[in-house]
């Protein structure tokens, strides 16, 4: 069956239908042929047996029987053959006679029928073939006389050899007719096979198209239910599943939209008071040295936490813009080596902690501000959670989608745990669940990935061959808005 699996369902249904039709037609033809053949041969056989018996019983025999008498009897019997002319052979002791004036015996008369005739006073018969394959009926009938209410054998036996060529011709004609009718019959069977396959495949095709539309997001897709069979039940189940899925997705979308709107509203509302708080903490930080140590420590803690809250609010505002599809690219032609160098200089990472491999004359069309955020987040994450030195390498490559910009950021830390890798870009994900507080918002890598996607690129995280985490940025040299 695996060999025929690649064939289409229509082909397999038609093949199965034709196979069943062929088996039914073949079985019916075989049974009909067997019954008709037996009926034809039995009719000829019964006629020959009863005729020979009647003729033998009607003859008067002289005992002991001389050769002339035996020859006379077979001559008389040979003239009255039914249903076809026959040849009669007579045997009496060592005497032999034939009605065709030729050989006194026949090769089709076997020893078996001789034994059967000698054991049965009512005679015996068998169908046999000669050396050329011709079919014959051999009927053996002993000559008997009645004595004391019984039948006594006279010792004379007569064998009628009847050719069944006519019956064989009739049977062969039946076989030929069956063969000639089989091909048109199978050809005609193709029509109901096509109709049956069409009736079965139409719901299957409808369901496939509906599943494709459902997979493309058309959750309002439904299938027209026809009939009350298993396929109709499957269509109803599909419709119920699609309806439940549409309702669930709608509820999830509404909940997600509310959550995004809430985060955006909260971030926006917090922005103004946080700006005031930052200004106040900056003023207080300047006079912290004139305060007592405990008050100065508390003031610096409040200032640090206010700064973290401001970073979190800015990150939430940024991620909300991505969720709302409101983020835009402001593209410009940028020298990649120069852009990387400026990013490192702004963060004061030019003290040897970051090593660069920046080929000259690599220019790309991208958003400078977002590219700065991407590179700063990757290098800052490597320095914070990995270890120095951090390597930043830039190169270009050609692919089926055009020229690509490849940037690799590798640290010298212990690497990323295998169970962490699938979630490294998740929002608010932290590799160390016990470390609930950190200087970051937990949104840095998520924002980085969204900025890369906005440029039409991808960002992958893995462990380098020499240890340490490795982030690979792959984006087109010519980003499209």
């Amino acid at each position: 069956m695996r060999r025929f699996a690649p064939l289409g369902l229509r082909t397999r249904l038609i093949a199965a239908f034709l196979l069943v039709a062929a088996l039914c037609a073949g079985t019916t033809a075989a049974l009909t042929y067997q019954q008709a053949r037996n009926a034809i041969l039995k009719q000829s056989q019964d006629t020959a047996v009863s005729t020979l018996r009647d003729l033998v019983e009607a003859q008067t025999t002289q005992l002991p029987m001389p050769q002339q008498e035996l020859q006379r009897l077979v001559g008389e019997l040979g003239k009255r053959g039914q249903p076809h002319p026959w040849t009669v052979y007579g045997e009496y002791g060592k005497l032999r006679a034939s009605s065709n004036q030729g050989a006194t015996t026949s090769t089709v008369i076997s020893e078996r029928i001789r034994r059967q005739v000698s054991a049965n006073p009512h005679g015996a018969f068998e169908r046999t073939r000669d050396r050329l394959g011709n079919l014959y009926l051999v009927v053996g009938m002993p000559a008997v006389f009645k004595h004391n209410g019984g039948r006594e054998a006279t010792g004379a036996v007569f064998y009628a050899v009847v050719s069944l060529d006519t019956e064989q011709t009739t049977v062969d004609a039946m076989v030929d007719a069956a063969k000639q009718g089989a091909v048109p019959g199978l050809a005609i069977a193709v029509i109901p096979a096509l109709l049956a396959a069409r009736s079965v495949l139409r719901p299957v095709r409808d369901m496939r198209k509906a599943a494709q539309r459902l997979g493309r997001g058309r959750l309002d897709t439904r299938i027209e239910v026809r009939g009350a069979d298993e396929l109709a039940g499957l269509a109803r189940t599909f419709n119920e599943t699609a309806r439940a899925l549409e309702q669930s997705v709608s509820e999830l979308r509404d909940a997600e939209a509310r959550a995004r709107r809430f985060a955006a509203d909260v971030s926006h509302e917090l922005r103004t008071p946080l700006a005031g708080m930052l200004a106040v903490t900056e003023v207080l930080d300047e006079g912290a040295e004139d305060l007592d140590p405990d008050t100065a420590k508390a003031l610096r803690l409040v200032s640090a936490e206010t700064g973290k809250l401001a970073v979190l609010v800015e990150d939430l505002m940024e991620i909300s813009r991505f969720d709302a599809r409101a983020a835009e690219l402001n593209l410009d032609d940028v020298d990649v080596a120069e852009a990387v160098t400026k990013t490192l200089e702004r963060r004061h990472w030019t003290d040897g902690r970051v090593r660069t491999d920046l080929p000259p004359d690599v220019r790309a069309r991208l958003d400078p501000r977002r590219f700065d955020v991407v590179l700063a987040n990757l290098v800052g994450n490597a320095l914070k959670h990995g270890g120095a030195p951090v390597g930043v390498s830039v190169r270009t490559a050609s692919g089926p989608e055009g020229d690509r910009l490849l940037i690799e950021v590798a640290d010298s830390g212990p690497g990323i745990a295998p169970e962490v890798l699938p979630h490294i870009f998740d929002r608010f994900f932290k590799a160390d669940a016990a470390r609930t507080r950190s200087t970051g918002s937990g949104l840095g890598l998520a924002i980085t990935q969204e900025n890369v996607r906005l440029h039409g690129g991808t960002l992958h995280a893995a462990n380098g061959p020499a240890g340490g985490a490795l982030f690979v940025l792959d984006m087109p040299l010519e980003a499209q808005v």
Side-chain angles (χ1 to χ4, degrees):
M1 294 301 295
R2 292 180 180 178
R3 185 180 302 173
F4 296 99
L7 297 177
L9 184 57
R10 175 192 293 272
T11 304
R12 282 182 280 167
L13 283 173
I14 294 175
F17 192 93
L18 292 180
L19 179 61
V20 172
L23 289 176
C24 293
T27 303
T28 303
L31 293 176
T32 303
Y33 162 76
Q34 187 68 25
Q35 294 295 327
R37 179 178 183 274
N38 291 338
I40 293 172
L41 295 179
K42 187 175 184 301
Q43 181 180 5
S44 300
Q45 165 188 299
D46 292 345
T47 302
V49 171
S50 60
T51 301
L52 184 61
R53 180 182 295 114
D54 293 341
L55 291 175
V56 170
E57 290 180 353
Q59 299 296 323
T60 58
T61 58
Q62 177 182 355
L63 298 177
M65 188 180 298
Q67 178 69 36
Q68 294 82 359
E69 181 64 14
L70 181 62
Q71 185 64 50
R72 184 188 68 82
L73 289 175
V74 298
E76 290 293 330
L77 296 175
K79 297 176 183 179
R80 303 178 183 180
Q82 290 183 4
H84 308 297
W86 58 27
T87 301
V88 178
Y89 298 89
E91 298 181 359
Y92 180 72
K94 295 182 179 180
L95 300 180
R96 299 290 185 270
S98 173
S99 63
N100 65 356
Q101 302 300 321
T104 58
T105 187
S106 174
T107 57
V108 298
I109 302 175
S110 63
E111 292 299 325
R112 185 180 66 168
I113 194 171
R114 285 190 172 94
R115 290 193 298 269
Q116 292 176 349
V117 171
S118 62
N120 186 0
H122 298 284
F125 63 89
E126 70 174 357
R127 291 194 294 267
T128 184
R129 294 184 181 273
D130 62 7
R131 297 174 181 175
L132 300 177
N134 298 316
L135 185 62
Y136 289 92
L137 173 66
V138 179
V139 181
M141 192 65 61
V144 298
F145 65 92
K146 297 180 180 179
H147 178 68
N148 295 329
R151 299 168 65 90
E152 297 290 339
T154 62
V157 180
F158 299 96
Y159 297 96
V161 178
V162 185
S163 175
L164 297 179
D165 289 341
T166 302
E167 287 78 1
Q168 185 63 44
T169 301
T170 303
V171 172
D172 292 341
M174 292 173 55
V175 174
D176 293 338
K179 291 180 180 178
Q180 294 174 359
V183 175
L186 289 178
I188 295 174
V190 172
I191 298 176
L194 289 172
L195 296 176
R198 181 182 179 185
S199 64
V200 173
L201 291 180
R202 183 190 296 113
V204 176
R205 285 195 299 267
D206 293 344
M207 192 164 298
R208 182 188 64 184
K209 294 177 181 178
Q212 290 174 345
R213 290 195 298 270
L214 198 66
R216 290 194 293 265
R218 296 285 303 277
L219 301 182
D220 58 342
T221 301
R222 299 294 183 270
I223 301 175
E224 181 181 356
V225 180
R226 302 184 182 93
D229 55 7
E230 290 81 358
L231 291 174
L234 183 59
R236 280 191 290 271
T237 303
F238 179 90
N239 290 339
E240 293 171 0
T241 304
R243 190 176 297 108
L245 180 62
E246 182 182 17
Q247 182 178 357
S248 300
V249 171
S250 177
E251 293 174 355
L252 287 174
R253 286 175 177 172
D254 292 341
E256 184 180 9
R258 288 193 299 269
R260 290 175 178 174
R261 187 165 54 252
F262 174 77
D265 293 343
V266 169
S267 301
H268 182 75
E269 294 298 328
L270 288 176
R271 207 172 183 186
T272 300
L274 274 175
M277 292 173 63
L278 285 173
V280 172
T281 55
E282 287 178 1
V283 174
L284 293 176
D285 279 341
E286 294 176 357
E289 296 179 356
D290 300 332
L291 301 175
D292 62 89
D294 291 338
T295 304
K297 182 179 180 180
L299 179 59
R300 291 189 180 94
L301 178 62
V302 170
S303 178
E305 293 300 323
T306 303
K308 292 179 184 179
L309 184 57
V311 172
L312 176 60
V313 169
E314 289 298 328
D315 288 346
L316 285 174
M317 290 290 293
E318 184 71 8
I319 207 74
S320 297
R321 282 190 285 270
F322 284 116
D323 290 341
R325 304 291 192 272
E328 296 180 352
L329 287 176
N330 295 312
L331 300 178
D332 193 7
D333 289 330
V334 175
D335 186 303
V336 177
E338 182 181 348
V340 172
T341 302
K342 288 183 179 179
T343 297
L344 299 180
E345 289 175 349
R346 291 191 191 101
R347 275 77 178 180
H348 306 289
W349 290 335
T350 57
D351 53 0
R353 291 181 296 168
V354 180
R355 299 174 182 175
T356 60
D357 179 11
L358 307 175
D361 301 327
V362 176
R363 303 192 64 83
R365 184 170 178 79
L366 46 79
D367 188 323
R369 183 185 70 83
R370 295 189 184 278
F371 181 75
D372 177 76
V373 171
V374 169
L375 191 61
N377 281 342
L378 291 179
V379 176
N381 187 74
L383 289 171
K384 185 187 305 180
H385 302 294
V390 173
V392 179
S393 63
V394 175
R395 59 189 176 91
T396 59
S398 298
E401 298 179 358
D403 295 334
R404 313 289 295 181
L405 173 64
L406 302 177
I407 300 178
E408 295 182 356
V409 178
D411 62 44
S412 302
I416 306 173
E419 64 273 11
V420 174
L421 272 175
H423 309 284
I424 196 70
F425 297 108
D426 292 352
R427 299 177 183 181
F428 300 107
F429 177 78
K430 294 181 179 180
D432 187 0
R435 184 166 52 87
T436 57
R437 297 185 60 81
S438 65
T439 57
S441 64
L443 295 172
L445 288 179
I447 293 175
T448 301
Q449 188 181 50
E450 292 295 342
N451 278 309
V452 173
R453 286 177 178 171
L454 197 61
H455 283 83
T458 58
L459 182 61
H460 299 283
N463 288 312
L470 174 65
F471 288 84
V472 180
L473 168 63
D474 180 355
M475 57 189 294
L477 280 175
E478 296 286 338
Q480 302 295 327
V481 178

